[in-house]
Amino acid sequence: MAAEPLKTLFYPFEAEALPLPRKNARVLFLGAEPGFRLPAGFEAALHLVQGFRPHFRALQASGHTVTPRAEGEGYDIALVLTGRHRGQNELRVAEAVERTAPGAPVVVAGSKDDGVDSLRKRINMLAPLEGHRPKHHGVAFWFRRTGMETAVALRAGNPDHVIEGGFKTAPGMFSFDRIDAGSKLLAANLPDDLKGNVADFCAGWGYLAAEVLQRRQGLTALDLYEADFEALEAARLNVHGVIEPRFFWIDLLTEAVERRYDTIVMNPPFHSGRAAEPGIGAGMIRAASKALKPGGRLFMVANRQLPYEQVLSAAFASHAEIARDGMFKVFSARR
């Protein structure tokens, strides 16, 4: 969670560099994450936007109004929490401009480690800043929404991506600018006899699911599970065929999978922010085991250094490494 940048975002209000919004103001909060604390006297209604399912659910559980995509327009103020992806940050600022009323302040904050200073300079060239404040290892800056020129320029600099194979992606998604090498290795080692009900866990924008559809002889159903809402929306555009896939926006670590499958393919994440978190992949392995029918098979790829063998032994009747290269290893396991 972005604990420090969240503090930075609200610091201009605490420091009285910006006035608190009036009580009946409508505040759009793009990139909202759990754990933020509002300054004393900040009583305006917040409309939170968060497409990462675990954060979305945590915000909902805290009683906030939250949607995976921004809705409505004419907001009195916009707050933008930035992350590690330059293009995604610029698109969030563009959306803040598009959805606020003329003259509304747009407040942006992020970590210095994630390049917020570069973003501040970029925005200042498009819309002169009213001010900025460094705090909590980050920077907050703000400007007024005038026309749409800033949004137009930011969107022009971050057009929709179409990569090898005609896949549509966008900044901020995992491997948005190329097909992931681990996923390619897994796809190359999938059997040609996939049949029955198949699921792609951690489906991203749909590369592996599209590869599964190429082996559709004997396939009766294909379901995609993904925690990133925008990636799943991209997968809706990228994965189609004779069999119509089903799409599930879900946190596989905390939400149960109701269907049961003959085969699951998976390239699980193993990072939380910058930190390596092998426990995420281990949790995905256990979730896959629960979602498979007796005798069902899992095919997954992982970085070579990740110690998943013990988890596979505990969750499956048998498993084997079926391929590897300099970076990745591919496992097959049977429930």
Short mmCIF file of all heavy atoms in Angstrom, two decimals, residues 178-207:
data_model
loop_
_atom_site.label_atom_id
_atom_site.label_comp_id
_atom_site.label_asym_id
_atom_site.label_seq_id
_atom_site.Cartn_x
_atom_site.Cartn_y
_atom_site.Cartn_z
N ARG A 178 4.83 -5.72 -24.38
CA ARG A 178 5.36 -6.91 -25.06
C ARG A 178 4.73 -8.15 -24.43
O ARG A 178 4.22 -8.09 -23.30
CB ARG A 178 6.88 -7.00 -24.92
CG ARG A 178 7.33 -7.21 -23.49
CD ARG A 178 8.81 -7.00 -23.29
NE ARG A 178 9.22 -7.26 -21.92
CZ ARG A 178 8.99 -6.44 -20.89
NH1 ARG A 178 8.34 -5.31 -21.07
NH2 ARG A 178 9.41 -6.76 -19.67
N ILE A 179 4.76 -9.25 -25.14
CA ILE A 179 4.31 -10.51 -24.55
C ILE A 179 5.36 -10.98 -23.56
O ILE A 179 6.56 -11.04 -23.88
CB ILE A 179 4.09 -11.56 -25.65
CG1 ILE A 179 2.98 -11.10 -26.60
CG2 ILE A 179 3.73 -12.91 -25.04
CD1 ILE A 179 2.82 -11.98 -27.83
N ASP A 180 4.95 -11.28 -22.36
CA ASP A 180 5.87 -11.70 -21.31
C ASP A 180 6.59 -12.99 -21.70
O ASP A 180 5.98 -13.94 -22.19
CB ASP A 180 5.08 -11.92 -20.01
CG ASP A 180 5.93 -12.52 -18.91
OD1 ASP A 180 6.88 -11.86 -18.46
OD2 ASP A 180 5.65 -13.67 -18.52
N ALA A 181 7.91 -13.01 -21.47
CA ALA A 181 8.72 -14.17 -21.87
C ALA A 181 8.31 -15.43 -21.12
O ALA A 181 8.34 -16.54 -21.67
CB ALA A 181 10.20 -13.88 -21.65
N GLY A 182 7.95 -15.30 -19.85
CA GLY A 182 7.51 -16.48 -19.09
C GLY A 182 6.21 -17.04 -19.65
O GLY A 182 6.05 -18.26 -19.77
N SER A 183 5.29 -16.16 -20.00
CA SER A 183 4.03 -16.62 -20.59
C SER A 183 4.27 -17.31 -21.92
O SER A 183 3.61 -18.30 -22.26
CB SER A 183 3.07 -15.44 -20.77
OG SER A 183 2.68 -14.91 -19.52
N LYS A 184 5.21 -16.78 -22.71
CA LYS A 184 5.55 -17.42 -23.98
C LYS A 184 6.08 -18.84 -23.76
O LYS A 184 5.71 -19.77 -24.48
CB LYS A 184 6.61 -16.60 -24.73
CG LYS A 184 6.06 -15.50 -25.60
CD LYS A 184 7.18 -14.91 -26.46
CE LYS A 184 6.64 -13.90 -27.45
NZ LYS A 184 7.70 -13.35 -28.32
N LEU A 185 6.95 -19.00 -22.76
CA LEU A 185 7.50 -20.33 -22.48
C LEU A 185 6.40 -21.28 -22.05
O LEU A 185 6.37 -22.45 -22.48
CB LEU A 185 8.58 -20.23 -21.40
CG LEU A 185 9.30 -21.53 -21.05
CD1 LEU A 185 10.11 -22.04 -22.25
CD2 LEU A 185 10.20 -21.36 -19.83
N LEU A 186 5.48 -20.81 -21.21
CA LEU A 186 4.37 -21.65 -20.79
C LEU A 186 3.50 -22.04 -21.98
O LEU A 186 3.14 -23.21 -22.15
CB LEU A 186 3.54 -20.93 -19.73
CG LEU A 186 2.26 -21.63 -19.25
CD1 LEU A 186 2.55 -23.04 -18.76
CD2 LEU A 186 1.58 -20.81 -18.16
N ALA A 187 3.17 -21.08 -22.82
CA ALA A 187 2.33 -21.35 -23.99
C ALA A 187 2.97 -22.39 -24.90
O ALA A 187 2.29 -23.27 -25.45
CB ALA A 187 2.05 -20.07 -24.76
N ALA A 188 4.29 -22.30 -25.05
CA ALA A 188 5.01 -23.23 -25.93
C ALA A 188 5.00 -24.65 -25.39
O ALA A 188 5.25 -25.61 -26.14
CB ALA A 188 6.45 -22.76 -26.14
N ASN A 189 4.73 -24.79 -24.09
CA ASN A 189 4.77 -26.12 -23.49
C ASN A 189 3.40 -26.62 -23.02
O ASN A 189 3.32 -27.61 -22.30
CB ASN A 189 5.75 -26.11 -22.30
CG ASN A 189 7.19 -26.07 -22.76
OD1 ASN A 189 7.78 -27.10 -23.09
ND2 ASN A 189 7.77 -24.88 -22.79
N LEU A 190 2.34 -25.94 -23.46
CA LEU A 190 1.00 -26.45 -23.18
C LEU A 190 0.71 -27.63 -24.10
O LEU A 190 1.10 -27.63 -25.27
CB LEU A 190 -0.04 -25.35 -23.41
CG LEU A 190 -0.08 -24.21 -22.40
CD1 LEU A 190 -1.10 -23.16 -22.83
CD2 LEU A 190 -0.39 -24.73 -21.00
N PRO A 191 0.02 -28.63 -23.60
CA PRO A 191 -0.31 -29.78 -24.46
C PRO A 191 -1.35 -29.39 -25.51
O PRO A 191 -2.10 -28.43 -25.35
CB PRO A 191 -0.88 -30.80 -23.47
CG PRO A 191 -1.38 -29.99 -22.32
CD PRO A 191 -0.47 -28.80 -22.22
N ASP A 192 -1.37 -30.14 -26.58
CA ASP A 192 -2.33 -29.87 -27.65
C ASP A 192 -3.69 -30.51 -27.39
O ASP A 192 -4.63 -30.31 -28.18
CB ASP A 192 -1.79 -30.41 -28.99
CG ASP A 192 -0.59 -29.60 -29.46
OD1 ASP A 192 -0.56 -28.37 -29.20
OD2 ASP A 192 0.32 -30.19 -30.07
N ASP A 193 -3.81 -31.25 -26.29
CA ASP A 193 -5.05 -31.97 -26.04
C ASP A 193 -5.87 -31.36 -24.90
O ASP A 193 -6.58 -32.06 -24.19
CB ASP A 193 -4.77 -33.44 -25.73
CG ASP A 193 -3.94 -33.62 -24.45
OD1 ASP A 193 -3.35 -32.61 -23.99
OD2 ASP A 193 -3.90 -34.73 -23.92
N LEU A 194 -5.74 -30.05 -24.70
CA LEU A 194 -6.55 -29.41 -23.67
C LEU A 194 -8.02 -29.62 -23.99
O LEU A 194 -8.46 -29.38 -25.11
CB LEU A 194 -6.24 -27.91 -23.61
CG LEU A 194 -4.85 -27.51 -23.08
CD1 LEU A 194 -4.68 -26.01 -23.14
CD2 LEU A 194 -4.65 -28.02 -21.66
N LYS A 195 -8.78 -30.04 -23.00
CA LYS A 195 -10.19 -30.33 -23.24
C LYS A 195 -11.01 -30.01 -22.00
O LYS A 195 -10.47 -29.80 -20.90
CB LYS A 195 -10.37 -31.79 -23.64
CG LYS A 195 -9.94 -32.80 -22.58
CD LYS A 195 -10.07 -34.23 -23.07
CE LYS A 195 -9.09 -34.52 -24.18
NZ LYS A 195 -9.10 -35.96 -24.57
N GLY A 196 -12.32 -29.96 -22.19
CA GLY A 196 -13.21 -29.70 -21.07
C GLY A 196 -13.21 -28.25 -20.65
O GLY A 196 -13.03 -27.33 -21.47
N ASN A 197 -13.41 -28.01 -19.37
CA ASN A 197 -13.45 -26.66 -18.82
C ASN A 197 -12.04 -26.22 -18.44
O ASN A 197 -11.38 -26.89 -17.64
CB ASN A 197 -14.35 -26.61 -17.59
CG ASN A 197 -15.80 -26.94 -17.91
OD1 ASN A 197 -16.24 -26.77 -19.05
ND2 ASN A 197 -16.53 -27.42 -16.93
N VAL A 198 -11.62 -25.10 -18.99
CA VAL A 198 -10.27 -24.59 -18.76
C VAL A 198 -10.37 -23.16 -18.21
O VAL A 198 -11.24 -22.39 -18.61
CB VAL A 198 -9.43 -24.60 -20.05
CG1 VAL A 198 -8.03 -24.02 -19.81
CG2 VAL A 198 -9.32 -26.02 -20.60
N ALA A 199 -9.47 -22.84 -17.28
CA ALA A 199 -9.42 -21.49 -16.71
C ALA A 199 -8.00 -20.95 -16.82
O ALA A 199 -7.02 -21.70 -16.75
CB ALA A 199 -9.86 -21.49 -15.25
N ASP A 200 -7.93 -19.63 -16.99
CA ASP A 200 -6.66 -18.90 -16.95
C ASP A 200 -6.69 -18.05 -15.69
O ASP A 200 -7.45 -17.09 -15.61
CB ASP A 200 -6.51 -18.03 -18.20
CG ASP A 200 -5.18 -17.29 -18.25
OD1 ASP A 200 -4.40 -17.37 -17.27
OD2 ASP A 200 -4.92 -16.60 -19.26
N PHE A 201 -5.89 -18.43 -14.69
CA PHE A 201 -5.78 -17.64 -13.47
C PHE A 201 -4.72 -16.56 -13.67
O PHE A 201 -3.67 -16.82 -14.25
CB PHE A 201 -5.38 -18.54 -12.28
CG PHE A 201 -6.53 -19.28 -11.66
CD1 PHE A 201 -7.76 -19.39 -12.30
CD2 PHE A 201 -6.39 -19.88 -10.41
CE1 PHE A 201 -8.82 -20.07 -11.72
CE2 PHE A 201 -7.44 -20.56 -9.81
CZ PHE A 201 -8.66 -20.66 -10.47
N CYS A 202 -4.99 -15.36 -13.15
CA CYS A 202 -4.09 -14.21 -13.34
C CYS A 202 -3.95 -13.95 -14.83
O CYS A 202 -2.84 -13.85 -15.37
CB CYS A 202 -2.73 -14.44 -12.70
SG CYS A 202 -2.81 -15.15 -11.04
N ALA A 203 -5.09 -13.80 -15.50
CA ALA A 203 -5.13 -13.81 -16.96
C ALA A 203 -4.55 -12.56 -17.61
O ALA A 203 -4.25 -12.58 -18.81
CB ALA A 203 -6.58 -13.99 -17.43
N GLY A 204 -4.41 -11.46 -16.87
CA GLY A 204 -3.90 -10.23 -17.47
C GLY A 204 -4.76 -9.81 -18.65
O GLY A 204 -5.99 -9.90 -18.62
N TRP A 205 -4.09 -9.34 -19.72
CA TRP A 205 -4.84 -8.88 -20.90
C TRP A 205 -5.13 -10.00 -21.89
O TRP A 205 -5.62 -9.76 -22.98
CB TRP A 205 -4.13 -7.72 -21.58
CG TRP A 205 -2.65 -7.83 -21.74
CD1 TRP A 205 -1.69 -7.23 -20.98
CD2 TRP A 205 -1.94 -8.57 -22.75
NE1 TRP A 205 -0.43 -7.55 -21.44
CE2 TRP A 205 -0.55 -8.37 -22.53
CE3 TRP A 205 -2.34 -9.38 -23.81
CZ2 TRP A 205 0.43 -8.95 -23.33
CZ3 TRP A 205 -1.36 -9.97 -24.62
CH2 TRP A 205 -0.01 -9.74 -24.37
N GLY A 206 -4.85 -11.27 -21.50
CA GLY A 206 -5.42 -12.38 -22.24
C GLY A 206 -4.52 -13.20 -23.13
O GLY A 206 -5.03 -14.06 -23.86
N TYR A 207 -3.20 -13.03 -23.05
CA TYR A 207 -2.33 -13.77 -23.98
C TYR A 207 -2.48 -15.28 -23.83
O TYR A 207 -2.69 -16.00 -24.81
CB TYR A 207 -0.87 -13.36 -23.77
CG TYR A 207 0.10 -14.28 -24.47
CD1 TYR A 207 0.22 -14.26 -25.87
CD2 TYR A 207 0.86 -15.20 -23.75
CE1 TYR A 207 1.09 -15.14 -26.52
CE2 TYR A 207 1.73 -16.06 -24.40
CZ TYR A 207 1.84 -16.03 -25.78
OH TYR A 207 2.70 -16.89 -26.42
#
